[in-house]
Amino acid sequence: MTLSRTRSCLASILLSALFLNISVTEAVQPKLKQSDIVIPQPSEENQLATKRVTTRLTQSHYRKIQLDDVFSEKIFDRYLKSLDFSRNTFLQSEVDEMRVKFANQLDEAFNEGNLDIAFEMYELMMKRRYERYQYALSLLDKEPNLTGNDQIEIDREKADWAKNQAELDKLWEQRVKNDVINLKLKEKKWPEIKKKLVKRYDLAIRRLTQTKADDIVQVYLNAFAREIDPHTSYLAPRTAKSFNESMNLSLEGIGATLQQSEDDGTSIKSLVPGAPAERSKKLKAGDKIVGVGQATGEIEDVIGWRLEDIVDKIKGKKGTKVRLEIEPAKGGKSKIITLIRDKVRIEDQAAKLTVSKVNGYNVASIKIPSFYIGLTNDVRKLLAEIQTKKVQSLIIDLRDNGGGALTEAVALSGLFISDGSIVQVRDAFQRIRIHEDPDNAQVYSGPLLVMINRFSASASEIFAAAMQDYNRGIIIGQNTFGKGTVQQSRSLNFAFDANQEPLGLIQYTIQKFYRIDGGSTQLRGVAADIDFPDAIDAKEYGEEKEDNALPWDKIPAATYSEVAQARNAVGYLLDNHQRRIQKDPEFITLKEDLKIRDERRERKFLSLNYEARKVENDKDDAKRLKDLNARFKREGKKALKDLDDLPKDYEAPDFYLKEAEKMAADLAKFDSKKTLAEK
């Protein structure tokens, strides 16, 4: 056959293939080669930081540890967990080999500032992650079959590592299917899904090439720090700079603290009171950020991005817009919200007063977002104001208040008692100090409710505990977080390090709080006298969720005596409260939602059948639409045809606070009856 005839035949075959819709797919390959991933080498600064962190943690931490072979193995396990949280990167044989080789060697390495083990383990992780993403990309050659009975294990934190390559491949097939389903549920078609996932997995590989020595050292030293307690950590120089900016309120952005789990998820840990994110009422703790865009243009998929890079993407000049694609913590479709960047203003964090007429009583609520310097003086003025408005009952709202200045917690407590001990503090040398009311003036002596939830922590717990121990007020809401420890931050650069490059900083625990009755607020928090339904999942959040939280313990009680009999009214308030919420549509809906949440929390596996997932997703959307329209009907508003019609600035009513106001009115009534009886 001549060359021209050969070319002619080949052309005919190709044309026939096109007309017959026959396609030859080329396997999706990573844009980068494995040889492009080069692990950096530790610097002299990294080694010096390691030595200084080791010295600080072994000599100054509240919890006295012995850095020996036993503790070394615990650090090894935590470092391994940070490298392969979902246990889908290493094989069991590789884990066993590293354990034998390294597990009881870390103590000597830390003392010497030797980072060889840290970098060798990290390098193996990078190689394996490349191979895993390479395999994931190969699975995108064709649309996966989502009609079977496959499942994916939801939480693999304690699962077995794969015994062989086939088991590892199966785990990643499940992951890819789950990624595809999540995008299909957002009404994406296969071509768009494939394009998005190819970009996502390629980006994950590219980020491996961007790994810096500081990144590895931060992960490694945090394995050491977090093994001591959950609030001790090392911040590499870049992270330390961002931390200092946020502490000085000089950061322009949205005012949200982000956290990143080891499975590449980035979620909102907390919202800064008064900042754009909190003012928008569109974001809540636990919401997951999956995309970031500017005022115009494409929203970039940020799943798997480094936390610092996501933060850099969100930060920007005051007055500019940033768009976030959010997956709500409570489930449902993802949504895109737009925020205008701004500086966090102190005045936006100030305590705020509202006064309402409830069942014939004047009820006041003071919302305290944080224990900022100057809080007590602000509240003192608000208490003077409520006297002019003839307020008969008061709510101090500490929901979502993560704490702040100890001095303010003590002084604020003093506004509600005449004098006495407020809180006890014990340091690493077992020395106990009692903080007392700084004056003998009781500014407010009327009926008092203190409203708390799972995100009330630290200084909030000190105030709530004092009011409870003195029997001064009734605590309502949800058990608090349980953070009864104090941390301090110290730079690793010493005064004589004039020419030394930044080494970062370390935060470590130096004290524990104790109630005046002697019990610690650590781990157990403060229990409410009257519980509200737990909208914040206590099993997902709180100190007790940490596997190495410092224990609850007790010291001798301080000298004090109850100043009132506030809890005498608990039975009366509880009966009325339960009768109301059993009929309240908002609490009925909440109870239904919590039942669904609790049932799903027990799941160990998630279906990889698209239709099954879609049915559940559609059912959730239908319920939310039904519940919203029922609320709108009660409020005299027009019904929605679709969830997409919900106004972007929609703010759900705070029915928890409304119920608290009714309880405050009940308390005023109870108090007035008691006063009459005494006369």
Side-chain angles (χ1 to χ4, degrees):
M1 183 180 289
T2 64
L3 181 60
S4 60
R5 286 188 64 193
T6 302
R7 286 174 175 167
S8 177
C9 288
L10 286 173
S12 299
I13 292 169
L14 288 172
L15 284 171
S16 298
L18 287 172
F19 283 118
L20 291 171
N21 199 27
I22 296 172
S23 60
V24 180
T25 58
E26 188 175 329
V28 180
Q29 293 293 329
K31 290 182 179 180
L32 296 174
K33 298 177 181 177
Q34 190 164 25
S35 58
D36 293 323
I37 301 174
V38 180
I39 191 165
Q41 294 303 305
S43 65
E44 291 182 6
E45 287 76 20
N46 295 145
Q47 295 167 347
L48 182 57
T50 300
K51 286 183 180 180
R52 291 186 178 178
V53 165
T54 302
T55 300
R56 182 73 70 173
L57 293 182
T58 53
Q59 295 182 5
S60 304
H61 196 281
Y62 179 88
R63 178 187 172 196
K64 299 302 181 184
I65 63 156
Q66 186 69 35
L67 185 55
D68 53 17
D69 287 355
V70 174
F71 201 79
S72 175
E73 290 180 14
K74 293 179 180 179
I75 299 172
F76 171 84
D77 284 333
R78 195 166 291 274
Y79 185 50
L80 182 63
K81 179 179 178 180
S82 66
L83 298 183
D84 191 7
F85 179 80
S86 296
R87 302 194 173 192
N88 61 6
T89 301
F90 295 131
L91 291 172
Q92 180 68 61
S93 58
E94 292 172 323
V95 171
D96 293 342
E97 184 179 345
M98 287 188 288
R99 185 177 300 282
V100 170
K101 190 176 179 183
F102 301 135
N104 62 1
Q105 303 296 317
L106 299 188
D107 46 344
E108 292 95 342
F110 276 114
N111 284 315
E112 296 168 2
N114 188 320
L115 293 163
D116 290 349
I117 293 173
F119 279 67
E120 186 173 335
M121 289 178 66
Y122 205 97
E123 183 175 25
L124 180 61
M125 180 275 289
M126 292 170 70
K127 288 179 179 177
R128 296 296 176 259
R129 292 298 278 186
Y130 178 91
E131 293 166 0
R132 293 297 90 217
Y133 282 116
Q134 182 180 37
Y135 180 67
L137 284 166
S138 74
L139 297 175
L140 299 176
D141 289 345
K142 60 181 180 179
E143 185 171 2
N145 180 359
L146 304 175
T147 62
N149 297 318
D150 287 359
Q151 293 180 314
I152 185 171
E153 192 170 4
I154 296 171
D155 182 4
R156 285 190 47 80
E157 180 183 354
K158 297 179 180 178
D160 293 333
W161 271 279
K163 295 181 179 62
N164 51 53
Q165 194 67 36
E167 287 187 12
L168 206 52
D169 287 348
K170 184 65 177 177
L171 292 175
W172 279 77
E173 287 169 19
Q174 293 166 351
R175 173 172 175 166
V176 171
K177 284 185 176 182
N178 192 53
D179 287 345
V180 171
I181 288 175
N182 286 334
L183 291 171
K184 278 179 73 72
L185 290 174
K186 296 176 185 177
E187 300 179 351
K188 307 291 185 185
K189 303 298 182 185
W190 170 245
E192 186 180 359
I193 292 171
K194 178 177 179 178
K195 181 179 178 182
K196 199 173 189 73
L197 292 183
V198 167
K199 183 178 179 180
R200 180 184 298 177
Y201 299 157
D202 266 328
L203 183 61
I205 290 174
R206 183 165 65 86
R207 277 198 320 280
L208 292 174
T209 69
Q210 298 169 342
T211 301
K212 299 177 177 62
D214 280 359
D215 301 329
I216 301 172
V217 174
Q218 181 167 277
V219 174
Y220 183 58
L221 291 184
N222 272 322
F224 182 5
R226 298 284 171 81
E227 186 55 42
I228 303 176
D229 91 303
H231 304 290
T232 294
S233 58
Y234 165 71
L235 283 68
R238 180 183 176 189
T239 312
K241 181 174 181 291
S242 296
F243 172 78
N244 288 328
E245 285 178 344
S246 63
M247 289 301 289
N248 294 329
L249 299 178
S250 62
L251 182 65
E252 292 183 350
I254 65 170
T257 302
L258 308 183
Q259 64 182 0
Q260 197 163 51
S261 64
E262 291 84 344
D263 62 352
D264 293 338
T266 300
S267 60
I268 294 172
K269 182 178 182 182
S270 62
L271 301 177
V272 178
E278 191 270 340
R279 292 200 307 266
S280 75
K281 306 299 181 185
K282 300 173 184 176
L283 292 169
K284 295 188 181 300
D287 286 350
K288 194 171 182 179
I289 298 175
V290 296
V292 180
Q294 304 312 310
T296 58
E298 181 184 0
I299 290 184
E300 293 188 74
D301 184 327
V302 296
I303 293 177
W305 280 33
R306 289 157 44 101
L307 184 59
E308 293 90 343
D309 294 335
I310 296 175
V311 171
D312 286 345
K313 200 78 178 172
I314 294 173
K315 282 163 49 179
K317 290 184 178 180
K318 176 182 176 181
T320 59
K321 293 181 179 179
V322 60
R323 291 176 295 151
L324 304 178
E325 183 177 356
I326 298 295
E327 288 183 356
K330 61 183 179 181
K333 285 185 178 179
S334 64
K335 57 183 178 180
I336 295 173
I337 65 170
T338 301
L339 299 173
I340 298 176
R341 299 179 177 102
D342 197 359
K343 279 194 173 181
V344 178
R345 297 170 294 182
I346 294 295
E347 59 268 27
D348 289 332
Q349 299 186 61
K352 290 182 174 59
L353 170 69
T354 57
V355 178
S356 306
K357 195 81 169 181
V358 182
N359 298 333
Y361 293 91
N362 292 328
V363 173
S365 171
I366 297 178
K367 174 65 177 176
I368 300 178
S370 68
F371 282 78
Y372 57 89
I373 300 298
L375 167 67
T376 304
N377 286 334
D378 287 350
V379 174
R380 190 188 302 271
K381 293 173 185 176
L382 297 179
L383 293 176
E385 185 179 339
I386 69 174
Q387 288 183 357
T388 65
K389 295 183 177 181
K390 298 181 179 179
V391 164
Q392 297 156 285
S393 193
L394 172 65
I395 302 165
I396 296 294
D397 186 354
L398 298 179
R399 289 176 299 165
D400 302 325
N401 184 325
L406 171 62
T407 52
E408 293 293 343
V410 172
L412 183 71
S413 301
L415 299 181
F416 300 91
I417 63 171
S418 56
D419 56 31
S421 305
I422 303 297
V423 66
Q424 305 185 85
V425 177
R426 183 167 68 177
D427 67 17
F429 301 99
Q430 306 305 303
R431 297 174 299 197
I432 298 172
R433 179 184 175 189
I434 300 175
H435 295 262
E436 298 191 348
D437 181 359
D439 59 45
N440 58 3
Q442 184 176 10
V443 179
Y444 176 79
S445 59
L448 176 66
L449 294 176
V450 180
M451 199 172 184
I452 55 174
N453 68 4
R454 193 61 166 170
F455 292 136
S456 304
S458 196
S460 292
E461 295 174 294
I462 291 172
F463 177 84
M467 295 303 100
Q468 197 172 55
D469 289 343
Y470 276 112
N471 206 352
R472 173 64 187 87
I474 296 175
I475 315 300
I476 63 173
Q478 190 178 356
N479 203 104
T480 59
F481 193 89
K483 183 183 181 294
T485 57
V486 188
Q487 286 73 42
Q488 71 176 8
S489 298
R490 287 289 182 267
S491 171
L492 292 175
N493 288 79
F494 298 156
F496 54 78
D497 291 336
N499 300 315
Q500 179 66 59
E501 290 292 319
L503 300 176
L505 63 82
I506 185 165
Q507 293 176 299
Y508 59 99
T509 300
I510 57 169
Q511 295 172 327
K512 281 180 75 174
F513 290 128
Y514 294 85
R515 302 169 67 134
I516 54 176
D517 73 357
S520 176
T521 56
Q522 171 63 13
L523 205 61
R524 295 186 183 180
V526 178
D529 297 312
I530 299 177
D531 289 323
F532 276 28
D534 56 344
I536 301 170
D537 194 344
K539 291 189 177 180
E540 289 296 323
Y541 302 98
E543 190 82 357
E544 65 188 41
K545 184 178 181 291
E546 302 292 343
D547 62 0
N548 64 332
L550 295 185
W552 180 90
D553 59 354
K554 195 169 186 177
I555 61 174
T559 301
Y560 77 101
S561 57
E562 294 185 357
V563 300
Q565 293 81 42
R567 287 199 295 280
N568 287 352
V570 166
Y572 174 73
L573 266 59
L574 181 59
D575 288 343
N576 291 342
H577 165 67
Q578 289 179 336
R579 276 197 295 268
R580 277 192 300 266
I581 68 172
Q582 285 172 5
K583 298 177 182 178
D584 188 318
E586 295 289 358
F587 279 96
I588 291 171
T589 299
L590 175 63
K591 186 177 181 180
E592 294 170 352
D593 291 341
L594 294 182
K595 183 181 178 183
I596 294 171
R597 180 198 72 187
D598 292 344
E599 288 173 351
R600 292 181 183 176
R601 187 175 53 206
E602 300 305 317
R603 287 179 179 173
K604 294 184 178 180
F605 295 90
L606 193 62
S607 172
L608 292 175
N609 182 298
Y610 170 68
E611 288 302 326
R613 290 273 288 276
K614 186 175 186 305
V615 166
E616 183 172 276
N617 193 69
D618 291 347
K619 185 179 179 181
D620 290 344
D621 285 349
K623 184 182 186 307
R624 184 157 184 255
L625 182 62
K626 172 178 162 289
D627 294 340
L628 280 169
N629 281 333
R631 177 188 292 162
F632 285 1
K633 184 177 180 180
R634 293 192 296 271
E635 296 172 346
K637 296 178 182 177
K638 185 180 178 181
L640 302 173
K641 292 183 179 179
D642 189 89
L643 286 177
D644 293 336
D645 298 331
L646 185 68
K648 291 183 178 180
D649 59 351
Y650 174 73
E651 184 177 344
D654 188 350
F655 55 90
Y656 278 92
L657 181 59
K658 293 296 181 185
E659 172 57 22
E661 289 174 341
K662 292 172 185 175
M663 295 175 74
D666 288 343
L667 184 57
K669 184 177 181 180
F670 181 90
D671 197 62
S672 63
K673 285 183 178 181
K674 182 185 71 173
T675 303
L676 286 172
E678 289 171 351
K679 290 181 179 179

